[in-house]
Amino acid sequence: MMVREHYSLREWNTFGTEAKARWFAEFSRHSELAGFLREHPGMYRQILVVGGGSNLLFTADYPGLVLHPAMKGMTVEREDGEHAWVRAGAGEVWDDFVSYAVNAGWGGVENLSLIPGCVGAVPVQNIGAYGREAGEVIDSVRGVDLVTGEIWELSGAECWFGYRSSIFKQELAGRFVVTSVVFRLDKHPRLQLTYGELVSLAGYDRLPSLAEVRETVIAVRRKKLPDPAVLGNAGSFFKNPVVEEEWAARMKGLWPQMPLYPAVEGHAKLSAGWLIDQCGWKGFRRGDAGVHEHHALVLVNHGHATGREIFDLSQEIRFSVKEKFGIDLEREVQAVGRMD
Ligand code: EPU
């Protein structure tokens, strides 16, 4: 495994901010990583795994090893009349996998079109959009235990998927690197068209094709969300807060326009974008750090903002939402270099 020193991470985070890794390495074979871990016992304490860097904000240089799993490949492991189980390497671009599934006529991931990032980050973050979450179709996850160098295979149930959460962000945080994921795709797709702009597709006199669902999702995302290749960003900066139903009802009484979404029993999901928008942040800009003009949940880098500037802006946003609504927003983006 070739290890580089003092390596710029600008290309490795979609905010496009500058930070340096003390060490940086990519690996595409398990043996390379296992050998490295044997030669550097204790190194696991200082490893940060980076896929496409689409959910990261570097607020300082990273003093340890930034590790990128580069495994490629999409192969059908088995199939029956109902499903196809496809293994995708952690280094594959997520949207290439969605395109592959849709072209094959296999359902389950079409609503997750155009989400930036690599396959390896998909189970960690349990990415979701338009009423679907990746965890619903993840059959198993393979990866390397950074402490022992062993290969592990976890079933979907063992991943403890929740809203933008999994065992990889909890008990296994900092200890596990995903190398490939098996998705269980549906040969007789059950479309999920109940969310937002997809509802209009459900009004067709025939069921839309997977390709039509994908095209609609892509069009909606392009309209609302900035392309990281053009304007640095990491999608939703905060999670949508989940609160007790009673509290949600009380808030709805005060702010009847407030959107509410279903959540786990006895709870409701609020819209962080709406809360931030109500505090007047949409389109705000200080220097090159800002809030997207079409979506208040998306923080942006207009060019030369530092990670620190974006982080400080995010803290101001949190304070104002706390002051107005009494809600503590939780970051979805992982801020690296800060302990709070
Ligand atoms: N809204 C506003 N003002 C804004 C932004 C949104 O009032 O500035 C309102 C919208 O009008 C809508 C509601 O807030 O009523 C929700 O907005 P939207 O449909 O855009 O979805 P979201 O809840 O903000 C979530 C995910 C997105 C995902 C979309 C679509 C989270 C944290 N974010 O956003 O995921 O694409 O739903 O399913 O759950 C991501 O995780 O990076 C991401 C982009």
Side-chain angles (χ1 to χ4, degrees):
M1 200 167 79
M2 189 168 77
V3 179
R4 300 158 201 263
E5 284 197 73
H6 306 293
Y7 188 77
S8 169
L9 298 169
R10 187 188 279 275
E11 302 292 321
W12 289 90
N13 75 97
T14 57
F15 268 117
T17 60
E18 182 51 45
K20 287 207 161 41
R22 177 71 182 82
W23 300 286
F24 176 91
E26 293 180 60
F27 74 103
S28 41
R29 283 195 316 275
H30 165 246
S31 54
E32 288 176 86
L33 178 61
F36 176 85
L37 292 170
R38 258 196 314 275
E39 284 162 28
H40 301 86
M43 181 54 109
Y44 69 89
R45 292 193 196 90
Q46 307 176 55
I47 292 181
L48 173 73
V49 178
V50 173
S54 55
N55 205 45
L56 284 175
L57 178 67
F58 291 106
T59 58
D61 288 343
Y62 188 70
L65 170 70
V66 170
L67 187 63
H68 174 71
M71 276 82 175
K72 293 282 188 196
M74 296 186 251
T75 46
V76 178
E77 290 232 309
R78 63 193 165 100
E79 50 185 311
D80 61 18
E82 297 297 313
H83 296 109
W85 285 262
V86 183
R87 183 179 295 280
E92 288 288 351
V93 170
W94 168 251
D95 195 54
D96 291 348
F97 176 72
V98 177
S99 165
Y100 161 95
V102 167
N103 285 335
W106 296 336
V109 291
E110 59 284 351
N111 289 25
L112 309 180
S113 291
L114 211 65
I115 294 182
C118 293
V119 165
V122 166
V124 178
Q125 180 67 4
N126 187 18
I127 61 170
Y130 309 106
R132 273 276 160 90
E133 282 183 352
E136 295 161 27
V137 291
I138 290 178
D139 184 70
S140 63
V141 175
R142 183 180 291 170
V144 179
D145 176 349
L146 292 172
V147 180
T148 63
E150 284 166 20
I151 299 182
W152 289 5
E153 186 109 22
L154 280 81
S155 70
E158 286 169 328
C159 295
W160 293 107
F161 292 120
Y163 168 55
R164 295 295 192 277
S165 158
S166 70
I167 193 168
F168 310 109
K169 280 176 106 177
Q170 310 283 336
E171 285 82 350
L172 293 183
R175 151 140 214 190
F176 190 79
V177 51
V178 175
T179 54
S180 67
V181 181
V182 176
F183 297 90
R184 192 193 54 258
L185 301 172
D186 225 320
K187 290 190 171 174
H188 308 287
R190 284 181 292 267
L191 303 179
Q192 164 60 271
L193 304 173
T194 53
Y195 189 98
E197 290 86 339
L198 299 195
V199 173
S200 60
L201 284 179
Y204 281 22
D205 50 6
R206 57 172 178 84
L207 267 184
S209 66
L210 291 173
E212 283 165 336
V213 176
R214 173 167 163 76
E215 279 159 24
T216 305
V217 169
I218 289 176
V220 172
R221 290 188 72 95
R222 288 222 166 106
K223 198 166 73 188
K224 275 195 178 176
L225 299 167
D227 176 357
V230 179
L231 184 63
N233 77 90
S236 302
F237 196 89
F238 298 101
K239 291 186 187 181
N240 283 332
V242 176
V243 300
E244 286 179 9
E245 243 165 23
E246 278 171 36
W247 191 3
R250 227 177 307 141
M251 288 187 73
K252 187 82 179 164
L254 290 171
W255 292 281
Q257 314 297 331
M258 186 180 76
L260 278 184
Y261 299 97
V264 287
E265 218 195 313
H267 293 76
K269 204 188 268 177
L270 310 183
S271 158
W274 186 86
L275 297 170
I276 298 169
D277 197 358
Q278 293 300 304
C279 293
W281 287 104
K282 193 147 75 182
F284 177 88
R285 177 169 177 171
R286 183 186 298 127
D288 275 351
V291 178
H292 189 48
E293 56 180 339
H294 300 315
H295 205 305
L297 191 49
V298 180
L299 270 60
V300 295
N301 176 8
H302 287 284
H304 296 96
T306 63
R308 184 56 203 255
E309 285 165 346
I310 294 169
F311 184 87
D312 288 347
L313 173 59
S314 79
Q315 291 295 76
E316 279 186 54
I317 291 172
R318 277 175 91 176
F319 291 138
S320 71
V321 169
K322 174 83 180 165
E323 204 169 66
K324 188 171 168 99
F325 296 102
I327 300 274
D328 261 322
L329 290 181
E330 194 187 327
R331 270 193 299 279
E332 191 203 318
V333 165
Q334 188 189 350
V336 178
R338 296 285 300 210
M339 300 309 289
D340 52 349

